[in-house]
Amino acid sequence: MRPSRRDALPTREGYLARWAALHGGYDPGRSRVVRGWLTLTYALARPLAAARVPPDAVTGLGVAVSLGVPAAAAAGSGWPLLAALGAIAVAVADGLDGAVAVLTDRASRWGHVLDSVADRLTDCAFLLSLGLLGAPWPLVVAAVLLTYTAEYLRARAAAGGMADIGVVTVWERPSRVVVVCAGCVAAGLDASRAPEWAAVAAGAGVVLATVGLAQLAVVARRRLRGVPVSPRP
């Protein structure tokens, strides 16, 4: 009897092994948060993978939903609660596109680039929401710049010879989603103090982004020590 497509999909351990291979050999078991998140996305991605949904379509859907997050935040009253739900949906989609690609063996360099660009767009949309809720714009801009700097540092370190993602910092995608959701939920439940709650969330983002950047810089410097410099063409 010929196995079905669903049966042909990798097991959870097989999925984790494929994920690790695509992320420089980083062992998901090193972080309970990472392993737990990957286990969840594996379960959610299996039906999509079995239906052969294109990973890029999931990426595009996540970006489209992210555009509604700042729009809902700017609407005021109880709408920021919807913004929080939107941010959670984007976070799920962010994990699903990669999981679908791994499960269907359709991971590609272009898909990785597209996913990274989508992540930066949604990061910006999330933090923009705090500014639209009333957080001081200097705090919002600082959070965005620190976030982008950390991601650029990781990308350049990987290009320079760092074998994996380096370290799971305190300011990864889940942390950003939690901070933005907390700000939106507080603002939605207490609209009269929305600017104060947004400022607290933005300030927390700046602090966590600063610590995360420092963590990554230390690990990247250690990993790149002794790696020979490739001559420029």
Side-chain angles (χ1 to χ4, degrees), residues 206-230:
V206 169
V207 172
L208 291 174
T210 301
V211 174
L213 177 59
Q215 287 179 293
L216 184 58
V218 169
V219 172
R221 183 176 185 274
R222 184 184 306 133
R223 295 286 182 85
L224 295 175
R225 187 178 299 158
V227 175
V229 179
S230 301

Side-chain angles (χ1 to χ4, degrees), residues 1-222:
M1 181 177 179
R2 186 176 180 178
S4 66
R5 285 181 173 180
R6 182 181 293 272
D7 293 335
L9 295 176
T11 64
R12 186 190 66 167
E13 293 307 317
Y15 164 70
L16 294 177
R18 286 189 182 183
W19 184 92
L22 292 170
H23 290 79
Y26 183 88
D27 180 9
R30 289 165 55 182
S31 170
R32 291 184 179 180
V33 174
V34 173
R35 186 177 179 84
W37 176 250
L38 291 177
T39 298
L40 174 63
T41 55
Y42 168 75
L44 295 176
R46 278 185 64 87
L48 298 176
R52 289 299 189 260
V53 174
D56 290 353
V58 182
T59 302
L61 177 62
V63 173
V65 174
S66 74
L67 299 179
V69 174
S77 188
W79 283 96
L81 295 174
L82 182 60
L85 291 177
I88 294 172
V90 172
V92 172
D94 178 41
L96 285 181
D97 57 0
V100 170
V102 172
L103 286 173
T104 57
D105 202 20
R106 297 170 70 178
S108 65
R109 292 184 182 275
W110 168 244
H112 176 71
V113 171
L114 183 63
D115 186 57
S116 297
V117 172
D119 286 349
R120 301 296 75 77
L121 290 173
T122 54
D123 282 339
C124 190
F126 288 168
L127 295 171
L128 174 63
S129 301
L130 299 179
L132 294 174
L133 283 171
W137 284 106
L139 275 181
V140 174
V141 172
V144 171
L145 290 177
L146 288 166
T147 300
Y148 276 42
T149 300
E151 294 297 343
Y152 183 73
L153 170 61
R154 176 171 279 152
R156 294 308 303 163
M162 187 170 70
D164 55 28
I165 62 175
V167 61
V168 177
T169 72
V170 298
W171 190 238
E172 302 294 346
R173 290 278 289 176
S175 303
R176 301 165 200 172
V177 173
V178 168
V179 166
V180 171
C181 285
C184 288
V185 168
L189 295 176
D190 187 5
S192 63
R193 299 179 60 192
E196 297 175 42
W197 292 120
V200 170
V206 169
V207 172
L208 291 174
T210 301
V211 174
L213 177 59
Q215 287 179 293
L216 184 58
V218 169
V219 172
R221 183 176 185 274
R222 184 184 306 133

